[in-house]
C-alpha cells in the first residue's frame, strides 16, 4: 500500500524449468477464496445504499478526485528487485475513509487497482486478492473512524475527535491490511513475517507518516480545499525517496538478464577477497561463456540470442545459493562468485549449471521449435589459483578457453597447463593420382535448409485502422469521425434523460470486464462486451454512448498499446455506433407489446451497431490500403453480421430484465455471458490444439522432405565425385591422355555458351563431356594403349565404349538427360559414325559439341600412335571435315571462341591446352 510491501505479485515467483509461470498453491487459493467471501459479505450490504440514498454533488466530486488520485498513486508504484511494490496510496485512501460513506469507500478500493491492472495485466488472483484485502481494511478503518467520531460523550472537542478518528483509521487500515497479507505471502511465496518486512519499524513508521499526511489532506478538504496542494507536495518527495532503492538496484543490475553487472561484481569480488584474507577462508570464482552465441544470432536473430541469455540467467538463479553473486561480465560471458566454497564444491555447482543449461529448451519467437544452447565454464579458487581479482579472473578465463578447445559444453578447473593449440597447423592432405592432373577436392555439400520461419506478433483485428502515418484523406476521415463521435457522445452524456447513474456505472464495469476478458486469436479477438454496449444503448439511450466507448477503447488500448489517433478513432466510431443503436431502441414502448417491440428492435439495433462500426472501420482501412470499401468490409467483417444480430437480441432482453428486476438482472445476465466466453475459450483452445498438431505434422513432413532433399543432394555429389574419379582414372591409364576429359569439358562448355545454351543445358553438357570416355573402363589396356593399328575385332570392341559409358551413367538416375550426348558423341554428321549411324540434326546437339571438342583436344595432344599437331593445322582439319564428320555450326562456334592469335604460333598448342584446362 505504501512504503512497505503491502502488495506482492505472488503469482510471479520463480519460473518453472519449462519457463512457465508458477501457479498459486492450493492453500493460498483457499485463503484467497476465504478473503473474497469475507469481502463480499462486507461490501454487498453497504453497496445497496447507492440505489436508495442520494449523494450530494460535493460528495461525488470528493469521490472522483480521491479515486483518481488513489488510482494514480497505485500506477506510479516503485518495484524492488525482490518484486515488492511501494507506493503512496495511503495519502489518498485514508481521506476517502474519513470523508466518504462506506459504499463509496468500497468503490475507491476497487477503482484503485483497475488502472494498474490495465497497465500491467497481472494474474487475476493477484488483483482479486489486493482488491478484497483493501475492501476489508478500508471498511474496517471506516468503522473505527465512525465509532470515534460518534464518541462525543468521551471527547467533546470535534477537532480532537477527528484527529483521533484519523489515528484509529490509520492503525486499523495498516494493521488489517498487513495482517491479511502476511498469510498470503507465507502460503504463496514462503515468506515469513520477518522476511516480508510487513511489521518492521521502517515500514510501519513510513506508513504512519503517510497516514498523517492523509489526515492533513482530509482536514484541508473540510476547511480550505485550496490548501491541499501544500499537503500533497511532501508526497512527491516521499515517492522520490521510495525510488532510491530501485535506482540503486538498477545501478547494480544488468537490464537484459536481471543479474548483477560487471561493476557490482568487481566490488563484491574485492570485498570477498578482503574478507578471505582477513579470516583465511576459501571462495571460488566461475567464469562461464555461452557457446556459439554468434550462430544463434545469425540463425534466429539477436532477439533470440537475448532470450537465451535471459534463460541462462534464470538457470543461475535456480541453481545458485541465495548468497552467491551471479553477474553478466560482458557479451555472452558470465561470472559467479561463490563465497565459502572450495574447489570440489565449486566444480559440483558448475556442473549442475552446465547440465541445467544443456537440458533447457529456449522458446524464441523466430523459431517454430525450441532451440538449445550450451555453456562452457572455468573454475578458479582462492588462494590456490590466485590472490587478487585479476589473477583469479585470468585463471578462470583460461579454463573456459580450454573447455571450448576441448569441444565446449564442459567444466574445467583452472590449472597451469598451457593451452593445447598447435602453432602451425598443416593443411589436410589431398590425394593426387600418380599420373594425371591434380584434381581439386569437392566443395562441401550445400545444406538444403528450410526457409527460416520468423514469427512476429501480429496486430489483432480491432475497431480501427492499423496505420502509423496518415495520408491527408485518411487523416481527414479519422479527425471527422473522432470529432463527430466524441462531440455527439458528450452531448448525449450531458443532456440524456436517464438518471440511473449507478446502473450505468455497473454496466461500464461489465463492459470493461467483457473487453478485458477478450479471447486473443491470430487475426483478432473475441469479446462479449458488445452485448453490454447494446444493453446500454437500450437502457440509457445516448447517455451511455461515450462512457461505454471510452471504457472499451481504454481497455483495448491497455492490452495492445495502439497510437493515440487509433484510440480516438475507436472512441468516435463506437460512440456513433452506440447512438445509432440507441435510436433504433427508441421505438420500443411500455407494455407487453412494447417489450416485444424492444426485443425485435434489438435485432435491428445489433445490425445497425455492426454496420456503423464496421463501415467506418472499413472506410479507413480501404483508404489506408488503397482498395475498395466494399471489398475491405466484405473480406474482414461481413461474416460477423449474424453474431451482432444475436448480440442485439440479448441486449434488448437485458434491458427488459433490468426494468423488471433492477441491477440483479445485470448480475444474472453476467453469468451466461461468462459461460459463453468460457465456451468460446474451450472451442478456441480445441481449435488451436488441432491447428498446432497439423502444424507439427506439416513441419515434420517438411523436415523429412528437407532431409530427403539433403540426402539426395549429397548422394548426387558423392556419385558425381565417384564418376569424376573414374573419369580421371580412365585418363590416367594413358600418360598421353591425362586430363583429356576435363579439357574436353571446358571446350564443350565454351562452345555451348557460344551457341546460347541455357544454364541447365550447360550443366548437362558439362557432365556429359566429363564422362564421355568413362565407357573405356570396359576396354582392355592391350587395346586402349596399343601403338599399332587396331584390328577389325579390336576396333569393334573400342567402338563399344560410348555405349558402355551411356549404360554406366544411366544407372545414376539423376544424369539420365546426359546419356544421349555420351552415347552418340562419335556419330558423324554424314551418318557414317557409331553406334547408331545417326545423321545431321538427328544427332543430339550435346553429342555434336563433344565430338568437335574431343577431336580438337585429340589433335593437340601427343598420342601413343602419333605426335601432336599444331593448333592452326588442327583447326583447319576441323573446318575441312565440317558437314561430313563434324557439325558445321559447332565448328563455327569453336572457331569463334578461340582467339585468332592463338592459331598462328607453334607454341599455341600449349597455350590452348592451358586455356582448355582452366
Amino acid at each position: 500500500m505504501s512504503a512497505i510491501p503491502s502488495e506482492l505479485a505472488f503469482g510471479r515467483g520463480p519460473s518453472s524449468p519449462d519457463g512457465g509461470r508458477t501457479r498459486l498453491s492450493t492453500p493460498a487459493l483457499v485463503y484467497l477464496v476465504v478473503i473474497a467471501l469475507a469481502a463480499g459479505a462486507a461490501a454487498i450490504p453497504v453497496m445497496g445504499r447507492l440505489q436508495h440514498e442520494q449523494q450530494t454533488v460535493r460528495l461525488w466530486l470528493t469521490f472522483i478526485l480521491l479515486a483518481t488520485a488513489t488510482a494514480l498513486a497505485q500506477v506510479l508504484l516503485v518495484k524492488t528487485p525482490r518484486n515488492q511494490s511501494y507506493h503512496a496510496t495511503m495519502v489518498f485512501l485514508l481521506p476517502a475513509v474519513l470523508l466518504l460513506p462506506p459504499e463509496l469507500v468500497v468503490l475507491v478500493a476497487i477503482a484503485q487497482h483497475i488502472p494498474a491492472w490495465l497497465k500491467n495485466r497481472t494474474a487475476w488472483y493477484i488483483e482479486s486478492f489486493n482488491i478484497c484485502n483493501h475492501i476489508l481494511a478500508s471498511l474496517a478503518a471506516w468503522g473505527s473512524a465512525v465509532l470515534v467520531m460518534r464518541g462525543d460523550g468521551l471527547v467533546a472537542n470535534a477537532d480532537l475527535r477527528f484527529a483521533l478518528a484519523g489515528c484509529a483509521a490509520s492503525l486499523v487500515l495498516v494493521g488489517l491490511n498487513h495482517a491479511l497479507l502476511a498469510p498470503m505471502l507465507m502460503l504463496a511465496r514462503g515468506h515469513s513475517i520477518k522476511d516480508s518486512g510487513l511489521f518492521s519499524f521502517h515500514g510501519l513508521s513510513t506508513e504512519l507518516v503517510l497516514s498523517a499526511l492523509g489526515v492533513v489532506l482530509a482536514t484541508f478538504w473540510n476547511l480550505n480545499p485550496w490548501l491541499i496542494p501544500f499537503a500533497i507536495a511532501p508526497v512527491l518527495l516521499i515517492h522520490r525517496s521510495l525510488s532510491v532503492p530501485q535506482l540503486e538496484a538498477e545501478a547494480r543490475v544488468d537490464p537484459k538478464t536481471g543479474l548483477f553487472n560487471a561493476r557490482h561484481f568487481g566490488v563484491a569480488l574485492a570485498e570477498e577477497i578482503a574478507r578471505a584474507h582477513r579470516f583465511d577462508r576459501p571462495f571460488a570464482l566461475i567464469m562461464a561463456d555461452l557457446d556459439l552465441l554468434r550462430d544463434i544470432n545469425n540463425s534466429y536473430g539477436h532477439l533470440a540470442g537475448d532470450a537465451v541469455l535471459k534463460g541462462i540467467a534464470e538457470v543461475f538463479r535456480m541453481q545458485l545459493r541465495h548468497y552467491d553473486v551471479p553477474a553478466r561480465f560482458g557479451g555472452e560471458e558470465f561470472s559467479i562468485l561463490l563465497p565459502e566454497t572450495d574447489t570440489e564444491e565449486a566444480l559440483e555447482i558448475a556442473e549442475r549449471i552446465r547440465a541445467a543449461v544443456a537440458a533447457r529448451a529456449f522458446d524464441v519467437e523466430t523459431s517454430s521449435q525450441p532451440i538449445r544452447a550450451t555453456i562452457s565454464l572455468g573454475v578458479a579458487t582462492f588462494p590456490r589459483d590466485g590472490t587478487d581479482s585479476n589473477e583469479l579472473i585470468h585463471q578462470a578465463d583460461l579454463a573456459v578457453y580450454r573447455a571450448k578447445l576441448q569441444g565446449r559444453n564442459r567444466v574445467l578447473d583452472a590449472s597451469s597447463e598451457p593451452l593445447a593449440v598447435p602453432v602451425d597447423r598443416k593443411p589436410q592432405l589431398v590425394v593426387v593420382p600418380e599420373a594425371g592432373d591434380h584434381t581439386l577436392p569437392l566443395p562441401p555439400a550445400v545444406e538444403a535448409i528450410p526457409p527460416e520461419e520468423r514469427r512476429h506478433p501480429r496486430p489483432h483485428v480491432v475497431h480501427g485502422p492499423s496505420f502509423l502515418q496518415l495520408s491527408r484523406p485518411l487523416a481527414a476521415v479519422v479527425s471527422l469521425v473522432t470529432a463527430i463521435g466524441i462531440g455527439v457522445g458528450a452531448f448525449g452524456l450531458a443532456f440524456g434523460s436517464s438518471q440511473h447513474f449507478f446502473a450505468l456505472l455497473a454496466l461500464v464495469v461489465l463492459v470493461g470486464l467483457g473487453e478485458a476478458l477478450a479471447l486473443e486469436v491470430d487475426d483478432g479477438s473475441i469479446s462479449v462486451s458488445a452485448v453490454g454496449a447494446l444493453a446500454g444503448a437500450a437502457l440509457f439511450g445516448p447517455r451511455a454512448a461515450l462512457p461505454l466507448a471510452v471504457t472499451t477503447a481504454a481497455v483495448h488500448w491497455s492490452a495492445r498499446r495502439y497510437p493515440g489517433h487509433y484510440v480516438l478513432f475507436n472512441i468516435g466510431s463506437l460512440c456513433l455506433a452506440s447512438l445509432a443503436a440507441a435510436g433504433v431502441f427508441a421505438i420500443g414502448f411500455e407494455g407487453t407489446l412494447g417489450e416485444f417491440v424492444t426485443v425485435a428492435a434489438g435485432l435491428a439495433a445489433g445490425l445497425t451497431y455492426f454496420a456503423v462500426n464496421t463501415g467506418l472501420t472499413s472506410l479507413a482501412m480501404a483508404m489506408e490500403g488503397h482498395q475498395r470499401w466494399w471489398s475491405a468490409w466484405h473480406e474482414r467483417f461481413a461474416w460477423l453480421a449474424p453474431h451482432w444480430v444475436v448480440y442485439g437480441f440479448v441486449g434488448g432482453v437485458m434491458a427488459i430484465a433490468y426494468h423488471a428486476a433492477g441491477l440483479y438482472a445485470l448480475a444474472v445476465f453476467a453469468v451466461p455471458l461468462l459461460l459463453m466466453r468460457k465456451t468460446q475459450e474451450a472451442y478456441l483452445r480445441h481449435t488451436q490444439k488441432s491447428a498446432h498438431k497439423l502444424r507439427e505434422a506439416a513441419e515434420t513432413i517438411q523436415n523429412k522432405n528437407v532431409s530427403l532433399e539433403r540426402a539426395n543432394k549429397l548422394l548426387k555429389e558423392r556419385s558425381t565425385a565417384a564418376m569424376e574419379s573414374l573419369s580421371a582414372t580412365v585418363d590416367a591409364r594413358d600418360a598421353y591422355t591425362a586430363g583429356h576429359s576435363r579439357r574436353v569439358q571446358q571446350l564443350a562448355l565454351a562452345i555451348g555458351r557460344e551457341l546460347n545454351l541455357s544454364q541447365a543445358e550447360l550443366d548437362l553438357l558439362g557432365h556429359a563431356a566429363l564422362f564421355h570416355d568413362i565407357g573405356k573402363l570396359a576396354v582392355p589396356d592391350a587395346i586402349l594403349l596399343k601403338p599399332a593399328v587396331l584390328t577389325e575385332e579390336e576396333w569393334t570392341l573400342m567402338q563399344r565404349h560410348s555405349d558402355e559409358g551411356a549404360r554406366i551413367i544411366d544407372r545414376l538416375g539423376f544424369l539420365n538427360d546426359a546419356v544421349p550426348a555420351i552415347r552418340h558423341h562419335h556419330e558423324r554428321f554424314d551418318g557414317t559414325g557409331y553406334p547408331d549411324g545417326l545423321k545431321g540434326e538427328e544427332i543430339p546437339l550435346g553429342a555434336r559439341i563433344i565430338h568437335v571438342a574431343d577431336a580438337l583436344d585429340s589433335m593437340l595432344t601427343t598420342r601413343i600412335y602419333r605426335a601432336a599437331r599444331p593448333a592452326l593445322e588442327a583447326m583447319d582439319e576441323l573446318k575441312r571435315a565440317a558437314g561430313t564428320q563434324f557439325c558445321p555450326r559447332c565448328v563455327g562456334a569453336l572457331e569463334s571462341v578461340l582467339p585468332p592469335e592463338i592459331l598462328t604460333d607453334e607454341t599455341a598448342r600449349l597455350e590452348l591446352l592451358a586455356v582448355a584446362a582452366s
Side-chain angles (χ1 to χ4, degrees):
M1 189 169 62
S2 59
I4 60 112
S6 59
E7 290 185 354
L8 187 68
F10 48 81
R12 294 182 176 181
S15 300
S16 57
D18 59 356
R21 176 181 291 182
T22 303
R23 295 180 179 273
L24 194 61
S25 64
T26 301
L29 185 60
V30 172
Y31 182 70
L32 171 61
V33 172
V34 172
I35 296 299
L37 292 176
I44 291 176
V46 299
M47 294 299 291
R49 298 175 54 181
L50 285 172
Q51 288 186 289
H52 306 295
E53 295 187 10
Q54 295 292 330
Q55 309 294 349
T56 63
V57 175
R58 178 183 174 85
L59 201 59
W60 278 109
L61 180 61
T62 304
F63 162 74
I64 293 173
L65 292 177
L66 291 177
T68 302
T70 306
L72 183 62
Q74 184 77 16
V75 170
L76 299 177
L77 58 84
V78 177
K79 285 188 176 180
T80 70
R82 295 185 62 187
N83 205 27
Q84 298 170 342
S85 58
Y86 295 80
H87 40 73
T89 54
M90 174 67 77
V91 178
F92 306 103
L93 190 58
L94 190 64
V97 169
L98 296 175
L99 300 175
L100 299 176
E103 60 271 22
L104 295 184
V105 171
V106 172
L107 293 181
V108 170
I110 296 174
Q112 168 186 348
H113 294 87
I114 291 178
W117 177 79
L118 292 176
K119 176 184 177 183
N120 303 316
R121 289 303 178 106
T122 52
W124 65 270
Y125 45 81
I126 296 177
E127 293 302 333
S128 299
F129 177 81
N130 289 335
I131 290 174
C132 294
N133 185 357
H134 280 80
I135 288 176
L136 289 174
S138 299
L139 288 178
W142 178 86
S144 63
V146 169
L147 287 177
V148 175
M149 291 293 292
R150 292 178 179 176
D152 50 358
L154 298 176
V155 180
N157 188 289
D159 294 335
L160 180 57
R161 285 202 311 272
F162 186 83
L164 293 176
C167 293
S170 300
L171 292 175
V172 173
L173 185 59
V174 174
L176 185 57
N177 175 263
H178 293 183
L180 295 176
L181 182 59
M184 179 57 79
L185 293 176
M186 184 177 298
L187 296 174
R189 297 293 299 274
H191 289 178
S192 65
I193 295 178
K194 180 179 180 181
D195 292 337
S196 66
L198 287 171
F199 297 100
S200 65
F201 173 79
H202 170 73
L204 292 178
S205 61
T206 308
E207 288 279 344
L208 292 177
V209 171
L210 294 174
S211 301
L213 286 176
V215 175
V216 172
L217 189 65
T219 304
F220 284 178
W221 181 259
N222 286 329
L223 298 178
N224 185 355
W226 297 106
L227 297 176
I228 288 179
F230 296 97
I232 295 179
V235 178
L236 300 177
L237 182 60
I238 293 175
H239 184 273
R240 184 62 182 173
S241 66
L242 295 178
S243 303
V244 172
Q246 183 186 26
L247 296 176
E248 292 177 348
E250 291 177 354
R252 300 192 304 265
V253 175
D254 173 64
K256 183 171 293 185
T257 61
L259 301 177
F260 292 113
N261 55 28
R263 177 180 175 275
H264 176 74
F265 180 82
V267 174
L269 179 59
E271 292 177 352
E272 184 62 24
I273 290 175
R275 189 193 66 83
H277 275 296
R278 187 165 57 252
F279 299 104
D280 193 21
R281 300 297 301 167
F283 72 87
L285 171 67
I286 297 177
M287 296 299 293
D289 194 89
L290 175 59
D291 298 328
L292 302 177
L293 176 62
R294 180 178 299 178
D295 290 354
I296 296 175
N297 290 334
N298 293 339
S299 301
Y300 305 102
H302 287 80
L303 292 180
D306 292 346
V308 173
L309 292 175
K310 293 176 184 177
I312 290 177
E314 291 181 7
V315 172
F316 286 175
R317 283 188 282 266
M318 294 172 60
Q319 300 297 332
L320 294 175
R321 302 160 298 190
H322 71 275
Y323 54 82
D324 295 330
V325 184
R328 185 184 180 198
F329 202 72
E332 65 267 32
E333 195 170 12
F334 300 88
S335 53
I336 305 172
L337 178 62
L338 305 176
E340 295 292 331
T341 306
D342 56 20
T343 303
E344 183 177 354
E345 188 178 3
L347 290 172
E348 180 182 347
I349 294 174
E351 175 59 28
R352 190 166 67 234
I353 293 173
R354 184 208 62 78
V357 171
R360 185 183 178 105
F362 299 92
D363 292 320
V364 298
E365 293 182 353
T366 52
S367 174
S368 58
Q369 298 293 333
I371 63 176
R372 300 282 181 175
T374 59
I375 192 170
S376 301
L377 302 99
V379 178
T381 54
F382 174 92
R384 187 198 65 175
D385 300 311
T387 56
D388 60 42
S389 58
N390 291 333
E391 191 175 0
L392 286 170
I393 292 175
H394 177 66
Q395 291 298 327
D397 254 340
L398 290 179
V400 173
Y401 295 150
R402 285 200 308 277
K404 287 185 172 293
L405 290 174
Q406 294 181 20
R408 306 184 185 93
N409 189 26
R410 63 193 63 218
V411 177
L412 288 184
D413 185 18
S415 68
S416 58
E417 298 175 7
L419 295 180
V421 183
V423 178
D424 296 324
R425 296 186 178 183
K426 297 181 180 180
Q428 294 182 350
L429 294 178
V430 179
V431 177
V432 182
E434 293 181 0
D437 287 357
H438 168 68
T439 303
L440 293 176
L442 288 174
V446 180
E447 295 187 0
I449 302 176
E452 183 178 348
E453 179 182 359
R454 295 193 175 271
R455 296 185 174 180
H456 299 281
R458 301 178 62 182
H460 300 285
V461 178
V462 293
H463 306 288
S466 176
F467 45 80
L468 296 176
Q469 294 182 349
L470 302 179
S471 62
R472 289 186 178 180
L474 185 58
V477 170
V478 172
S479 301
L480 190 63
V481 170
T482 300
I484 295 178
I486 295 179
V488 176
F491 184 84
L493 178 64
F495 299 101
S497 58
S498 175
Q499 300 296 322
H500 301 277
F501 294 105
F502 184 69
L504 176 59
L505 179 62
L507 192 62
V508 166
V509 173
L510 182 64
V511 169
L513 288 176
E515 186 66 25
L517 297 176
L519 297 174
E520 302 295 339
V521 295
D522 286 343
D523 291 324
S525 57
I526 302 174
S527 171
V528 296
S529 62
V531 177
L534 289 165
L539 286 172
F540 312 111
R543 177 156 278 178
L546 185 60
L548 294 178
V550 171
T551 301
T552 303
V555 175
H556 201 80
W557 171 86
S558 69
R560 299 163 186 87
R561 295 298 195 271
Y562 288 114
H565 60 263
Y566 203 120
V567 178
L568 293 176
F569 180 88
N570 287 344
I571 295 175
S573 62
L574 291 174
C575 278
L576 293 175
S578 295
L579 291 170
V584 175
F585 274 120
I587 65 176
F589 51 86
E590 300 295 333
T592 304
L593 184 60
E595 293 179 353
F596 174 79
V597 173
T598 300
V599 173
L603 302 175
L607 194 59
T608 302
Y609 188 103
F610 168 76
V612 173
N613 185 19
T614 59
L616 293 173
T617 302
S618 300
L619 176 61
M621 293 176 64
M623 297 180 67
E624 175 199 8
H626 304 288
Q627 58 180 332
R628 297 178 59 186
W629 168 83
W630 173 257
S631 299
W633 182 86
H634 189 269
E635 178 183 353
R636 301 291 296 273
F637 302 113
W639 64 279
L640 290 170
H643 297 269
W644 286 86
V645 172
V646 175
Y647 288 166
F649 172 79
V650 177
V653 174
M654 288 180 64
I656 295 174
Y658 174 78
H659 286 299
L663 285 175
Y664 297 104
L666 298 181
V668 169
F669 270 91
V671 176
L673 290 178
L674 291 177
L675 291 177
M676 181 190 304
R677 192 261 185 193
K678 199 69 177 177
T679 303
Q680 292 173 337
E681 181 181 16
Y683 173 77
L684 181 61
R685 285 182 177 177
H686 176 73
T687 304
Q688 290 175 337
K689 186 177 181 181
S690 301
H692 180 67
K693 289 182 178 179
L694 291 175
R695 190 180 297 112
E696 286 183 341
E699 290 174 352
T700 301
I701 294 173
Q702 182 184 8
N703 292 335
K704 295 297 183 183
N705 290 337
V706 170
S707 299
L708 289 175
E709 182 180 354
R710 186 179 303 165
N712 187 36
K713 186 176 183 65
L714 184 61
L715 178 61
K716 289 181 180 180
E717 292 175 347
R718 296 297 181 261
S719 301
T720 303
M723 292 299 101
E724 289 180 357
S725 299
L726 290 176
S727 177
T729 302
V730 172
D731 293 345
R733 293 171 67 185
D734 184 358
Y736 294 101
T737 60
H740 167 70
S741 296
R742 184 68 67 180
R743 293 194 298 271
V744 170
Q745 181 190 45
Q746 297 301 321
L747 287 170
L749 289 175
I751 296 172
R753 283 190 286 268
E754 181 66 21
L755 294 176
N756 296 320
L757 298 185
S758 66
Q759 186 59 47
E761 292 171 329
L762 288 174
D763 291 340
L764 286 174
L765 177 61
H767 284 105
L770 184 62
F771 302 142
H772 76 283
D773 276 344
I774 200 169
K776 289 183 179 180
L777 289 170
V779 179
D781 287 348
I783 297 175
L784 186 65
L785 305 178
K786 184 176 181 180
V789 178
L790 299 179
T791 65
E792 183 176 350
E793 183 181 356
E794 291 172 339
W795 180 245
T796 301
L797 189 60
M798 175 66 81
Q799 288 178 339
R800 290 173 52 188
H801 83 275
S802 59
D803 195 35
E804 288 294 333
R807 188 177 294 111
I808 292 173
I809 298 302
D810 186 51
R811 291 172 182 170
L812 292 179
F814 63 89
L815 289 178
N816 288 339
D817 293 336
V819 170
I822 297 174
R823 176 180 174 82
H824 299 292
H825 76 276
H826 280 297
E827 302 282 2
R828 293 171 60 98
F829 202 73
D830 57 7
T832 60
Y834 63 89
D836 296 330
L838 300 182
K839 179 180 180 181
E841 298 294 331
E842 294 177 354
I843 307 171
L845 178 60
R848 286 179 271 154
I849 294 174
I850 295 173
H851 192 190
V852 173
D854 186 22
L856 177 63
D857 186 74
S858 298
M859 288 187 285
L860 293 178
T861 55
T862 299
R863 297 300 173 94
I864 193 171
Y865 49 84
R866 60 161 175 80
R869 302 173 67 177
L872 184 59
E873 183 180 334
M875 195 65 216
D876 289 339
E877 178 66 24
L878 289 175
K879 288 191 289 186
R880 279 194 300 270
T884 56
Q885 183 177 358
F886 305 110
C887 170
R889 190 153 61 103
C890 296
V891 173
L894 176 61
E895 187 177 15
S896 299
V897 299
L898 292 179
E901 61 274 8
I902 205 170
L903 303 175
T904 60
D905 195 329
E906 178 59 26
T907 60
R909 181 178 64 85
L910 298 177
E911 298 179 10
L912 183 57
L913 291 176
V915 171
S918 61

